[in-house]
Amino acid sequence: MKIDVLTLFPGMFAGPLDESIVKRARQAGLLDLRIHNLRDYAHDRHRTVDDRPFGGGPGMLLKPEPLFEAIEALAGEQTRVILLSPAGRVFNQAVARELAQQTALLFVSGHYEGFDERVREQLADDELSIGDYVLTNGALPAMVIIDAVTRLLPGALGDDESAHEESFSQGLLEYPQYTRPAEFRGLQVPEVLLSGNHAEIARWRAEQARQRTKERRPDLM
Ligand code: 4FV
Protein backbone atom coordinates (compact mmCIF):
# COMPACT_ATOMS: atom_id res chain seq x y z
CA MET A 1 0.00 0.00 0.00
CA LYS A 2 1.15 3.57 -0.78
CA ILE A 3 0.30 6.26 1.74
CA ASP A 4 1.09 9.94 1.28
CA VAL A 5 0.47 12.57 3.96
CA LEU A 6 0.19 16.31 3.33
CA THR A 7 0.93 18.30 6.49
CA LEU A 8 2.40 21.54 7.81
CA PHE A 9 4.17 19.50 10.55
CA PRO A 10 6.25 16.77 8.87
CA GLY A 11 8.48 16.64 11.96
CA MET A 12 5.60 15.28 14.04
CA PHE A 13 5.67 12.06 12.01
CA ALA A 14 9.25 11.18 12.99
CA GLY A 15 8.97 8.57 15.70
CA PRO A 16 5.46 7.09 15.94
CA LEU A 17 5.67 5.52 12.45
CA ASP A 18 9.30 4.41 12.83
CA GLU A 19 8.69 1.78 15.50
CA SER A 20 7.22 -1.70 15.90
CA ILE A 21 4.67 -3.00 13.40
CA VAL A 22 4.57 0.08 11.14
CA LYS A 23 8.38 0.15 10.94
CA ARG A 24 8.43 -3.55 10.08
CA ALA A 25 5.71 -3.10 7.42
CA ARG A 26 7.73 -0.29 5.82
CA GLN A 27 10.92 -2.33 5.86
CA ALA A 28 9.08 -5.33 4.41
CA GLY A 29 7.76 -3.17 1.56
CA LEU A 30 4.14 -3.71 2.64
CA LEU A 31 3.78 0.03 3.21
CA ASP A 32 5.33 2.88 1.18
CA LEU A 33 4.79 5.90 3.44
CA ARG A 34 5.80 9.45 2.35
CA ILE A 35 5.31 12.69 4.30
CA HIS A 36 4.98 15.95 2.31
CA ASN A 37 5.20 19.54 3.59
CA LEU A 38 2.28 21.63 2.31
CA ARG A 39 4.47 24.73 2.51
CA ASP A 40 6.58 23.30 -0.36
CA TYR A 41 3.53 23.99 -2.58
CA ALA A 42 3.33 27.71 -1.68
CA HIS A 43 5.54 29.79 -3.95
CA ASP A 44 5.21 33.38 -2.72
CA ARG A 45 8.10 34.95 -0.76
CA HIS A 46 6.51 34.02 2.58
CA ARG A 47 5.28 30.63 1.32
CA THR A 48 1.76 31.57 2.51
CA VAL A 49 -0.64 28.66 3.09
CA ASP A 50 -3.35 30.40 5.10
CA ASP A 51 -5.56 33.49 4.98
CA ARG A 52 -8.47 35.15 6.79
CA PRO A 53 -12.01 33.73 6.25
CA PHE A 54 -14.33 35.69 3.93
CA GLY A 55 -17.23 37.08 5.92
CA GLY A 56 -15.02 37.56 8.98
CA GLY A 57 -14.74 35.28 11.99
CA PRO A 58 -11.87 34.01 14.14
CA GLY A 59 -8.69 32.37 12.97
CA MET A 60 -7.27 31.52 9.58
CA LEU A 61 -8.09 29.00 6.85
CA LEU A 62 -5.90 26.87 4.60
CA LYS A 63 -5.81 28.50 1.15
CA PRO A 64 -6.94 26.51 -1.94
CA GLU A 65 -3.92 27.10 -4.22
CA PRO A 66 -1.20 25.15 -2.33
CA LEU A 67 -3.67 22.36 -1.51
CA PHE A 68 -4.90 21.98 -5.09
CA GLU A 69 -1.34 22.00 -6.45
CA ALA A 70 -0.15 19.46 -3.85
CA ILE A 71 -3.11 17.09 -4.11
CA GLU A 72 -3.09 17.16 -7.93
CA ALA A 73 0.66 16.47 -7.86
CA LEU A 74 0.46 13.60 -5.32
CA ALA A 75 -2.85 11.86 -6.12
CA GLY A 76 -2.83 9.17 -8.83
CA GLU A 77 -5.84 7.48 -10.49
CA GLN A 78 -6.16 4.92 -7.70
CA THR A 79 -5.47 7.37 -4.87
CA ARG A 80 -8.22 7.91 -2.28
CA VAL A 81 -7.94 11.55 -1.10
CA ILE A 82 -8.96 11.76 2.57
CA LEU A 83 -9.42 15.05 4.46
CA LEU A 84 -8.93 14.85 8.23
CA SER A 85 -11.28 17.07 10.23
CA PRO A 86 -13.83 16.97 13.06
CA ALA A 87 -16.52 17.25 10.35
CA GLY A 88 -15.60 13.86 8.88
CA ARG A 89 -17.29 10.48 9.45
CA VAL A 90 -15.92 8.97 12.65
CA PHE A 91 -13.07 6.53 12.11
CA ASN A 92 -13.48 2.99 13.52
CA GLN A 93 -12.28 -0.57 12.88
CA ALA A 94 -14.76 -1.09 10.03
CA VAL A 95 -13.37 2.01 8.27
CA ALA A 96 -9.83 0.74 8.94
CA ARG A 97 -10.70 -2.56 7.22
CA GLU A 98 -12.21 -0.60 4.30
CA LEU A 99 -9.10 1.58 3.87
CA ALA A 100 -6.81 -1.45 4.12
CA GLN A 101 -8.37 -2.69 0.86
CA GLN A 102 -7.22 0.41 -1.03
CA THR A 103 -3.96 0.60 -3.04
CA ALA A 104 -3.14 4.26 -2.38
CA LEU A 105 -4.27 6.79 0.25
CA LEU A 106 -3.49 10.53 0.48
CA PHE A 107 -4.22 12.05 3.92
CA VAL A 108 -4.66 15.83 3.98
CA SER A 109 -4.17 16.95 7.56
CA GLY A 110 -5.77 20.23 8.49
CA HIS A 111 -4.62 23.15 10.56
CA TYR A 112 -5.96 26.53 11.71
CA GLU A 113 -9.77 26.65 11.39
CA GLY A 114 -9.69 24.16 8.53
CA PHE A 115 -9.82 24.03 4.73
CA ASP A 116 -11.24 26.37 2.06
CA GLU A 117 -14.52 24.62 1.16
CA ARG A 118 -13.51 24.28 -2.51
CA VAL A 119 -10.84 21.75 -1.49
CA ARG A 120 -13.55 19.61 0.11
CA GLU A 121 -15.94 20.02 -2.84
CA GLN A 122 -13.47 19.44 -5.66
CA LEU A 123 -10.74 17.11 -4.37
CA ALA A 124 -11.88 15.06 -1.35
CA ASP A 125 -13.01 11.44 -1.86
CA ASP A 126 -13.62 11.05 1.84
CA GLU A 127 -13.43 12.95 5.14
CA LEU A 128 -12.54 11.30 8.45
CA SER A 129 -12.59 12.34 12.09
CA ILE A 130 -10.87 10.35 14.83
CA GLY A 131 -13.29 11.65 17.43
CA ASP A 132 -15.48 14.48 18.66
CA TYR A 133 -12.78 16.77 20.06
CA VAL A 134 -10.63 19.54 18.51
CA LEU A 135 -6.90 18.96 17.98
CA THR A 136 -4.25 21.53 17.04
CA ASN A 137 -3.77 19.96 13.60
CA GLY A 138 -4.46 16.80 11.62
CA ALA A 139 -1.06 15.14 12.08
CA LEU A 140 -2.08 12.91 15.01
CA PRO A 141 -5.30 11.79 13.28
CA ALA A 142 -3.23 10.79 10.23
CA MET A 143 -0.83 8.77 12.41
CA VAL A 144 -3.68 7.08 14.30
CA ILE A 145 -5.37 5.99 11.08
CA ILE A 146 -2.11 4.90 9.40
CA ASP A 147 -1.30 2.73 12.46
CA ALA A 148 -4.75 1.07 12.50
CA VAL A 149 -4.72 0.44 8.72
CA THR A 150 -1.10 -0.80 8.52
CA ARG A 151 -1.65 -3.60 11.02
CA LEU A 152 -4.47 -4.93 8.82
CA LEU A 153 -2.19 -5.21 5.77
CA PRO A 154 -1.62 -8.90 4.90
CA GLY A 155 1.68 -9.96 6.46
CA ALA A 156 1.98 -6.90 8.72
CA LEU A 157 1.22 -8.83 11.91
CA GLY A 158 3.54 -11.71 12.86
CA ASP A 159 1.81 -14.99 13.76
CA ASP A 160 2.04 -14.12 17.49
CA GLU A 161 -0.05 -11.05 16.75
CA SER A 162 -3.54 -11.65 15.50
CA ALA A 163 -6.08 -9.26 14.02
CA HIS A 164 -9.01 -11.64 14.10
CA GLU A 165 -9.58 -12.30 17.80
CA GLU A 166 -9.47 -8.70 18.98
CA SER A 167 -11.82 -5.89 19.99
CA PHE A 168 -14.24 -4.86 17.28
CA SER A 169 -13.13 -7.72 14.98
CA GLN A 170 -16.44 -9.41 15.83
CA GLY A 171 -18.01 -6.05 16.68
CA LEU A 172 -17.62 -6.77 20.43
CA LEU A 173 -15.10 -5.69 23.06
CA GLU A 174 -12.37 -8.21 23.86
CA TYR A 175 -12.88 -10.87 26.58
CA PRO A 176 -10.69 -10.77 29.73
CA GLN A 177 -7.27 -12.35 29.25
CA TYR A 178 -4.70 -13.74 31.68
CA THR A 179 -1.10 -15.03 31.52
CA ARG A 180 1.23 -16.75 34.03
CA PRO A 181 1.38 -16.96 37.02
CA ALA A 182 -2.02 -18.72 37.54
CA GLU A 183 -2.07 -17.14 41.03
CA PHE A 184 -0.75 -13.66 41.75
CA ARG A 185 -1.12 -12.06 45.18
CA GLY A 186 -3.94 -14.52 45.85
CA LEU A 187 -5.68 -13.53 42.63
CA GLN A 188 -6.66 -16.66 40.70
CA VAL A 189 -7.00 -17.08 36.96
CA PRO A 190 -10.58 -18.35 36.13
CA GLU A 191 -10.54 -22.20 36.35
CA VAL A 192 -12.10 -22.64 32.91
CA LEU A 193 -8.96 -21.15 31.29
CA LEU A 194 -6.78 -23.75 32.97
CA SER A 195 -9.14 -26.63 32.02
CA GLY A 196 -7.80 -27.29 28.52
CA ASN A 197 -11.46 -27.71 27.46
CA HIS A 198 -11.31 -25.50 24.36
CA ALA A 199 -15.04 -25.62 23.63
CA GLU A 200 -15.77 -24.54 27.22
CA ILE A 201 -13.08 -21.82 26.99
CA ALA A 202 -14.57 -20.48 23.72
CA ARG A 203 -18.06 -20.40 25.30
CA TRP A 204 -16.74 -18.55 28.38
CA ARG A 205 -14.83 -16.02 26.25
CA ALA A 206 -17.83 -15.33 24.00
CA GLU A 207 -20.06 -14.79 27.04
CA GLN A 208 -17.47 -12.49 28.68
CA ALA A 209 -17.15 -10.43 25.48
CA ARG A 210 -20.94 -10.05 25.27
CA GLN A 211 -21.25 -9.06 28.96
CA ARG A 212 -18.38 -6.56 28.80
CA THR A 213 -19.77 -5.00 25.62
CA LYS A 214 -23.29 -4.82 27.09
CA GLU A 215 -21.93 -3.10 30.26
CA ARG A 216 -19.46 -0.72 28.65
CA ARG A 217 -20.54 -0.20 25.04
CA PRO A 218 -24.20 -1.12 24.54
CA ASP A 219 -24.04 1.10 21.42
CA LEU A 220 -21.95 -1.66 19.80
CA MET A 221 -24.58 -4.37 20.37
C1 4FV B 1 -9.49 16.35 13.87
C2 4FV B 1 -10.25 15.35 14.51
C3 4FV B 1 -9.21 17.68 14.42
C4 4FV B 1 -9.48 20.85 13.82
C5 4FV B 1 -8.87 22.20 13.61
C6 4FV B 1 -7.21 20.53 13.16
C7 4FV B 1 -8.31 19.94 14.00
C8 4FV B 1 -7.53 21.98 13.01
N1 4FV B 1 -9.08 15.87 12.70
N2 4FV B 1 -10.24 14.26 13.70
N3 4FV B 1 -10.84 15.39 15.72
N4 4FV B 1 -8.62 18.57 13.57
O1 4FV B 1 -9.53 17.98 15.57
O2 4FV B 1 -9.54 14.59 12.62
O3 4FV B 1 -7.62 22.27 11.65
Coordinates of all heavy atoms in Angstrom, one line a residue, residues 62 84-87 109-115 128-138 141, ligand 1:
L62 N -6.9 27.3 5.6 CA -5.9 26.9 4.6 C -6.4 27.3 3.2 O -7.5 27.0 2.8 CB -5.7 25.3 4.7 CG -5.0 24.8 5.9 CD1 -5.1 23.3 6.0 CD2 -3.5 25.3 5.8
L84 N -8.8 15.2 6.8 CA -8.9 14.8 8.2 C -9.5 16.1 8.9 O -8.9 17.2 8.9 CB -7.6 14.5 8.8 CG -7.0 13.2 8.2 CD1 -5.5 13.0 8.5 CD2 -7.8 12.0 8.6
S85 N -10.7 16.0 9.5 CA -11.3 17.1 10.2 C -12.4 16.6 11.1 O -12.9 15.5 10.9 CB -11.9 18.1 9.2 OG -13.2 17.8 9.0
P86 N -12.8 17.4 12.2 CA -13.8 17.0 13.1 C -15.2 16.8 12.3 O -16.1 16.2 12.9 CB -13.9 18.1 14.1 CG -12.6 18.8 14.0 CD -12.2 18.7 12.5
A87 N -15.2 17.3 11.1 CA -16.5 17.3 10.4 C -16.6 16.0 9.6 O -17.6 15.7 8.9 CB -16.6 18.4 9.4
S109 N -3.9 16.6 6.2 CA -4.2 16.9 7.6 C -4.3 18.5 7.7 O -3.5 19.2 7.2 CB -3.1 16.4 8.5 OG -1.8 16.8 8.0
G110 N -5.4 18.8 8.4 CA -5.8 20.2 8.5 C -4.9 21.0 9.5 O -4.1 20.4 10.2
H111 N -5.2 22.3 9.5 CA -4.6 23.2 10.6 C -5.4 24.4 10.6 O -6.4 24.6 9.8 CB -3.1 23.5 10.2 CG -2.4 24.2 11.3 ND1 -2.7 23.9 12.7 CD2 -1.6 25.2 11.3 CE1 -1.9 24.7 13.4 NE2 -1.2 25.5 12.6
Y112 N -5.1 25.3 11.5 CA -6.0 26.5 11.7 C -7.4 26.2 11.9 O -7.7 25.1 12.5 CB -5.8 27.5 10.5 CG -4.3 27.7 10.2 CD1 -3.8 27.3 9.0 CD2 -3.5 28.5 11.0 CE1 -2.4 27.5 8.7 CE2 -2.2 28.7 10.7 CZ -1.7 28.2 9.5 OH -0.3 28.5 9.2
E113 N -8.3 26.9 11.3 CA -9.8 26.7 11.4 C -10.2 25.6 10.4 O -11.4 25.3 10.3 CB -10.6 28.0 11.2 CG -10.2 29.0 12.3 CD -10.3 28.4 13.7 OE1 -11.3 27.8 14.0 OE2 -9.3 28.5 14.4
G114 N -9.3 25.2 9.5 CA -9.7 24.2 8.5 C -9.4 24.5 7.1 O -8.5 25.4 6.8
F115 N -10.1 23.9 6.1 CA -9.8 24.0 4.7 C -10.8 25.0 4.0 O -11.9 25.1 4.4 CB -10.0 22.7 4.0 CG -9.3 21.5 4.7 CD1 -10.0 20.7 5.6 CD2 -8.0 21.2 4.4 CE1 -9.3 19.7 6.2 CE2 -7.4 20.2 5.0 CZ -8.0 19.4 5.9
L128 N -12.5 12.1 7.2 CA -12.5 11.3 8.4 C -12.2 12.1 9.7 O -11.4 13.0 9.6 CB -11.5 10.2 8.3 CG -11.9 9.0 7.3 CD1 -10.7 8.0 7.3 CD2 -13.2 8.3 7.7
S129 N -12.9 11.8 10.8 CA -12.6 12.3 12.1 C -12.2 11.2 13.0 O -12.8 10.1 12.9 CB -13.8 13.0 12.7 OG -13.6 13.3 14.1
I130 N -11.2 11.4 13.9 CA -10.9 10.3 14.8 C -11.6 10.5 16.1 O -11.5 9.7 17.1 CB -9.3 10.3 15.1 CG1 -8.8 11.5 15.8 CG2 -8.6 9.9 13.9 CD1 -7.4 11.3 16.4
G131 N -12.5 11.5 16.2 CA -13.3 11.7 17.4 C -13.8 13.1 17.6 O -13.3 14.0 17.0
D132 N -14.8 13.2 18.4 CA -15.5 14.5 18.7 C -14.7 15.3 19.7 O -15.2 15.5 20.8 CB -16.9 14.2 19.1 CG -17.7 13.4 18.0 OD1 -17.2 13.5 16.8 OD2 -18.7 12.8 18.3
Y133 N -13.6 15.8 19.3 CA -12.8 16.8 20.1 C -11.9 17.5 19.1 O -11.7 17.1 17.9 CB -11.9 16.0 21.1 CG -11.3 14.8 20.6 CD1 -10.2 14.8 19.8 CD2 -11.9 13.5 20.8 CE1 -9.7 13.6 19.2 CE2 -11.4 12.4 20.3 CZ -10.3 12.4 19.5 OH -9.8 11.2 19.0
V134 N -11.4 18.7 19.5 CA -10.6 19.5 18.5 C -9.1 19.5 18.8 O -8.7 19.8 19.9 CB -11.1 21.0 18.5 CG1 -10.3 21.9 17.6 CG2 -12.6 21.0 18.2
L135 N -8.4 19.1 17.8 CA -6.9 19.0 18.0 C -6.2 20.2 17.4 O -6.9 21.0 16.7 CB -6.4 17.7 17.3 CG -7.0 16.4 17.8 CD1 -6.8 15.2 16.9 CD2 -6.4 16.1 19.2
T136 N -4.9 20.3 17.6 CA -4.3 21.5 17.0 C -4.0 21.4 15.5 O -3.9 22.4 14.8 CB -2.9 21.7 17.7 OG1 -2.1 20.5 17.5 CG2 -3.1 21.9 19.2
N137 N -3.9 20.2 15.1 CA -3.8 20.0 13.6 C -4.1 18.5 13.3 O -4.3 17.7 14.2 CB -2.4 20.4 13.1 CG -1.3 19.5 13.7 OD1 -1.2 18.3 13.3 ND2 -0.5 20.0 14.6
G138 N -4.0 18.1 12.0 CA -4.5 16.8 11.6 C -3.4 15.8 11.6 O -3.6 14.7 11.1
P141 N -4.3 12.6 13.9 CA -5.3 11.8 13.3 C -4.7 11.0 12.1 O -5.0 9.8 12.0 CB -6.3 12.8 12.8 CG -6.2 13.9 13.7 CD -4.8 14.0 14.1
Ligands
4FV1 C1 -9.5 16.3 13.9 C2 -10.3 15.3 14.5 C3 -9.2 17.7 14.4 C4 -9.5 20.9 13.8 C5 -8.9 22.2 13.6 C6 -7.2 20.5 13.2 C7 -8.3 19.9 14.0 C8 -7.5 22.0 13.0 N1 -9.1 15.9 12.7 N2 -10.2 14.3 13.7 N3 -10.8 15.4 15.7 N4 -8.6 18.6 13.6 O1 -9.5 18.0 15.6 O2 -9.5 14.6 12.6 O3 -7.6 22.3 11.6

